[in-house]
Structures are given as structure tokens and as C-alpha cells.
Amino acid sequence: MRTEAPTDRQVQILQVIKNWIADHGEGPSIRQIGERVGLSSSSSVAYQLARLEDPGLISRAGRRWRSCQLGT
């Protein structure tokens, strides 16, 4: 498990997730996150999400990122 602070990009992603959940009641898709933080590759977004999931900054039910929540 990682313990270092999230990068600026990861903080942006966390903010997108927080705002999206507040507005829509569920997490954003990988593409929606990428559009809002300037990542065109869905694999780059998935990598960042995995880096946030590892230390428990986000969690999800199953394999869908739309089910993600902040924290564990």
C-alpha cells in the first residue's frame, strides 16, 4: 500500500469524482474523468485510478469505476 501524497493530477481526479458524484449520484466513467483532467488515454486514467484505489483514497464495488466512492 502506498503512503505518499497524491500527485496534482490525482488531486484533480479526486475533485472530478467528488463533484460528479454530488451532481449525478454515481461516479464518472473513465472517459468522463479523462475529459475533465486532460487525459486522452483511458488506460492513463485507469492507471491513476488504480494508484488512488491502492491506498484507499477511492474504492469501488466490483470492476466498474462508475461505482467508485471517495475513501474506503
Side-chain angles (χ1 to χ4, degrees), residues 16-28 32 36 66:
V16 166
I17 294 169
K18 178 183 175 184
N19 292 340
W20 192 273
I21 292 171
D23 292 344
H24 302 280
E26 68 178 357
Q32 290 163 332
R36 283 155 183 80
R66 279 195 180 269

Side-chain angles (χ1 to χ4, degrees), residues 9 31 34-35 37-45:
R9 178 64 52 109
R31 289 185 185 190
E35 288 171 4
V37 299
L39 290 172
S40 58
S41 167
S42 58
S43 64
S44 294
V45 177

Side-chain angles (χ1 to χ4, degrees), residues 7-18:
T7 64
D8 290 342
R9 178 64 52 109
Q10 291 168 345
V11 169
Q12 289 177 327
I13 290 171
L14 288 169
Q15 190 64 47
V16 166
I17 294 169
K18 178 183 175 184

